Amino acid sequence: MNNSQQRGRGGSPAVRGTVRSQARRAELIATGRKLFADTSYDALSMDDIARQAGVAKGLIYYYFTNKRGYYLAIIEDAVAELVERAGSTHDLPPVERVQRTVDGYLRYAQHHQAAYRAIVTGGVGFDAEVLAIRDTVRARLLGTIAIGAWGRTDIPPLARTALTGWLSSVEGATLDWIAEQEVPRETVVTLLVRGLGDTLRLIEEYEPGCPAPPRPPA
């Protein structure tokens, strides 16, 4: 077998090692998301995590340095999934895009409650790094809204303040909803989407360069 055939069959050892390493890291993050969904951060030791993951504790240190690094990697993974959901609707009409984005946001929060709470509340106590991750996801979500509403990502200060206020209300409403789940998800989506429409129309009053989309038919 020649060298090109060997490369075609399995790739170089370095590439194969990288793929295996990434897969193992992803497996550990997936395990961690399940663990931290059921158990508080302080209640889990590295021994507990290694035992539940079925690996040597040193492997977790190798990939994440310590428990805090492991936790931050899990939060970053959760953020990436949340942002991906929010940004996957650009090919839809504006009204349907907003509805799908908000519905996907609520579905994510419903099925990943521990990760969602950590993202929007700042993680373990006052954790500056988790707060920075939260600010990043907020900025990405605001950018998604701006593209959907105005076809642009540069947001004037007043518009950014108003949209941040709406997003904060979304976070508060979502936290209440996942805690109680007394209201159908579809109803919460309608409330939040209408709230966004009201916010966009208010922005237009102060920023004519940011016109609000037409009202959806009743």
Side-chain angles (χ1 to χ4, degrees), residues 141-193:
L141 290 171
L142 291 180
T144 297
I145 295 167
I147 290 174
W150 307 308
R152 53 192 268 200
T153 56
D154 58 309
I155 308 175
L158 183 143
R160 185 183 63 247
T161 297
L163 289 177
T164 299
W166 173 79
L167 185 55
S168 296
S169 71
V170 170
E171 293 170 351
T174 302
L175 287 172
D176 179 78
W177 178 69
I178 61 176
E180 305 297 336
Q181 295 198 33
E182 297 172 334
V183 180
R185 189 186 69 254
E186 295 79 6
T187 303
V188 180
V189 169
T190 299
L191 291 172
L192 297 178
V193 169

Side-chain angles (χ1 to χ4, degrees), residues 197-213:
D198 291 341
T199 300
L200 292 173
R201 284 185 284 276
L202 182 60
I203 290 172
E204 183 181 21
E205 292 182 20
Y206 292 89
E207 291 284 354
C210 296

Side-chain angles (χ1 to χ4, degrees), residues 105-122:
Y105 184 95
L106 290 174
R107 286 177 184 271
Y108 176 87
Q110 182 179 22
H111 296 295
H112 305 86
Q113 295 187 21
Y116 180 80
R117 288 192 180 95
I119 292 168
V120 302
T121 62

